[in-house]
Amino acid sequence: MDEFELIRRYFARMGADRADVDLGVGDDAALLRVPEGTDLVAAVDTLVEGRHFPAGADARSIGHRALAVNLSDIAAMGAAPAWATLALTLPEADPGWLDGFARGLGELACAHGVALVGGDTTAGPLTISVQILGHVPRGSALRRGGGRAGDVLAVTGTLGDAGAGLALATGALELKDPAAARDLLERFEYPTPRVEFGIAARGIASAAMDISDGLVGDLPKLAAAGGLGAAVDVERLPMSGALRAAGDAQQARSWALGAGDDYELLVAVPPERFGELAARAEQLNLTLTAIGELNRGNAVKWMLHGAEFTPAVHGFDHFRRASTQITV
Ligand code: ADP
Ligand code: MG
């Protein structure tokens, strides 16, 4: 199978069929029709074997995650995803691997109405870059810096599951409860980007970001972007039953605070509109949990049982040594 056969077989018609794609895979570039009155929203994320997923990870999960992490960025902007391009670097053209990868990426693309409109294919160490393009009604994108002092900070879903799932995937954690292990591993391998919630939060939330590097790393970025401080009640962090089954309270809390890969959304919302946003989340079968608030300070205070404490965890940073080794 040569490069062109590979592209034709796996990537020529991937994802949704969209009327706004004038020209997709096959030419030198794609031609896309951006709806009138919208802002184009663009993001790119790269997954590197051994860095973002364990070597030898299931190909379908890699395909899913490569798109999911990008959809999560689009969700955090309150935007609707539309098109994606894929830069794929592969050690070899293994049809079994490519089948799984294309299935994982293609199923998620179809589920969100995204068309794959181009890309690049090269040989080398396994690295996947997906660029996503979407749109949002002009001026209505959710930004990190839009929060005000007094806004409620809230998160979708539950935190920490993917961190425990990664520990299971790498063999760092073993669990007796097979159902809990399956749930946690699934949350790492097949994260659910909160696209519908991001769109529903437009015009209600004052700020938003996705939690990809862990709450302790990410929340200070949202506060700082607004020139604000924050206070968080660590007891309020939403944790799944599976996560609680995976470790003692302290270990579960460490994952919820510090582990990345959950791809839940963190939003700031004026207190009088929290109920409305929580009701929209509920319509999407999603929980929205208030965990603290923004304030006029310039730091984030983490409160546990009424006392301030310093989490002995930090967000993921590629250029910091021993990233993500976590204990509270
Ligand atoms: P060029 O050399 O002009 O950049 P290529 O030969 O690299 O074009 O690619 C041919 C066509 O296939 C282009 O339309 C490109 O966007 C598409 N393509 C290449 N690799 C991929 C991929 N992994 N996924 C989707 N489309 C791809
Ligand atoms: Mg090329």
Side-chain angles (χ1 to χ4, degrees):
M1 179 167 47
D2 68 13
E3 178 188 333
F4 302 101
E5 168 66 6
L6 186 158
I7 295 165
R8 198 189 55 73
R9 199 189 293 179
Y10 295 99
F11 303 115
R13 279 173 310 278
M14 175 177 276
D17 233 339
R18 294 182 64 102
D20 54 14
V21 177
D22 209 25
L23 193 56
V25 170
D27 213 305
D28 290 306
L31 292 175
L32 310 168
R33 300 207 164 129
V34 184
E36 211 65 56
T38 65
D39 291 325
L40 182 65
V41 182
V44 64
D45 258 319
T46 297
L47 300 187
V48 178
E49 184 176 46
R51 237 322 155 170
H52 300 94
F53 55 88
D58 182 59
R60 189 165 75 93
S61 159
I62 297 169
H64 177 102
R65 289 184 74 236
L67 183 60
V69 301
N70 280 282
L71 286 168
S72 179
D73 284 325
I74 287 285
M77 303 306 287
W83 315 290
T85 58
L86 166 66
L88 184 58
T89 305
L90 286 171
E92 56 181 342
D94 171 354
W97 191 93
L98 281 159
D99 276 332
F101 176 82
R103 194 148 50 86
L105 206 157
E107 283 169 359
L108 189 63
C110 287
H112 288 276
V114 170
L116 187 71
V117 297
D120 193 30
T121 307
T122 56
L126 183 58
T127 304
I128 305 108
S129 285
V130 172
Q131 181 193 42
I132 192 137
L133 299 163
H135 45 74
V136 63
R138 182 146 302 151
S140 71
L142 298 171
R143 301 172 186 222
R144 291 183 181 187
R148 298 259 178 108
D151 282 355
V152 172
L153 289 169
V155 296
T156 58
T158 56
L159 300 179
D161 298 325
L166 175 60
L168 286 163
T170 58
L173 174 70
E174 279 180 35
L175 275 186
K176 291 206 178 66
D177 178 348
R182 209 178 323 109
D183 286 356
L184 295 170
L185 197 56
E186 176 99 2
R187 287 270 288 162
F188 173 73
E189 292 187 327
Y190 297 95
T192 307
R194 304 304 188 187
V195 176
E196 295 80 10
F197 177 81
I199 291 169
R202 254 187 229 157
I204 303 178
S206 53
M209 73 182 297
D210 70 324
I211 306 173
S212 50
D213 296 335
L215 190 69
V216 165
D218 285 333
L219 191 145
K221 294 176 191 162
L222 183 137
L228 297 166
V232 177
D233 285 320
V234 173
E235 303 97 281
R236 293 159 83 183
L237 300 187
M239 289 187 262
S240 69
L243 187 74
R244 291 174 196 281
D248 59 20
Q250 190 175 304
Q251 176 63 72
R253 199 158 63 221
S254 287
W255 277 312
L257 276 168
D261 297 314
D262 282 318
Y263 299 101
E264 295 294 349
L265 293 186
L266 168 67
V267 294
V269 56
E272 67 277 10
R273 302 200 71 183
F274 175 78
E276 188 184 347
L277 192 56
R280 291 205 178 187
E282 202 181 323
Q283 285 168 355
L284 298 169
N285 284 319
L286 193 60
T287 56
L288 183 72
T289 307
I291 61 167
E293 59 173 32
L294 290 171
N295 59 40
R296 276 182 223 298
N298 57 13
V300 176
K301 281 188 180 165
W302 304 92
M303 306 296 293
L304 186 61
H305 310 309
E308 194 179 334
F309 88 112
T310 309
V313 296
H314 51 72
F316 190 83
D317 175 346
H318 281 277
F319 297 104
R320 186 164 166 161
R321 267 172 243 186
S323 290
T324 68
Q325 270 331 300
I326 50 171
T327 41
V328 168

